[in-house]
Amino acid sequence: LLIYNKENRKKIPVMGKHPKKITCGAWSMSNELAMGSEDKCLTISDAEGETHQQRDMKHPPKGMCFAAQQLDGNNDEGVETHLS
């Protein structure tokens, strides 16, 4: 899997994160990539391909998406991002 950065025209390989087939993925508004695979693992990486989080799951993920939750108040600073 490659991440292509169109701003600097770089191809960034995302290798070694999952030994089995990747079944789903999603990009967040903060430029994070979440991927799930048949190895029952979920990873969250940045746009440079660096893994920030890795979680083992009971079952292989079949789909995912990022969602924003508004915290107290109506300003944009009170937004928290969740993965489901």
Side-chain angles (χ1 to χ4, degrees), residues 36-57:
S37 81
E38 291 178 346
D39 62 1
K40 301 177 190 172
C41 185
L42 167 77
T43 57
I44 298 179
S45 304
D46 62 20
E48 299 301 317
E50 295 295 322
T51 302
H52 289 271
Q53 292 186 44
Q54 183 171 341
R55 300 275 191 255
D56 293 326
M57 313 294 282

Side-chain angles (χ1 to χ4, degrees), residues 21-84:
K21 182 174 125 181
I22 294 171
T23 56
C24 57
W27 279 102
S28 75
M29 295 297 284
S30 59
N31 223 14
E32 293 178 308
L33 174 63
M35 294 184 292
S37 81
E38 291 178 346
D39 62 1
K40 301 177 190 172
C41 185
L42 167 77
T43 57
I44 298 179
S45 304
D46 62 20
E48 299 301 317
E50 295 295 322
T51 302
H52 289 271
Q53 292 186 44
Q54 183 171 341
R55 300 275 191 255
D56 293 326
M57 313 294 282
K58 286 185 178 181
H59 304 283
K62 297 188 186 231
M64 63 180 66
C65 67
F66 283 94
Q69 178 181 0
Q70 185 73 37
L71 301 177
D72 292 338
N74 291 327
N75 59 10
D76 289 338
E77 295 174 14
V79 175
E80 186 175 26
T81 304
H82 298 277
L83 179 66
S84 81

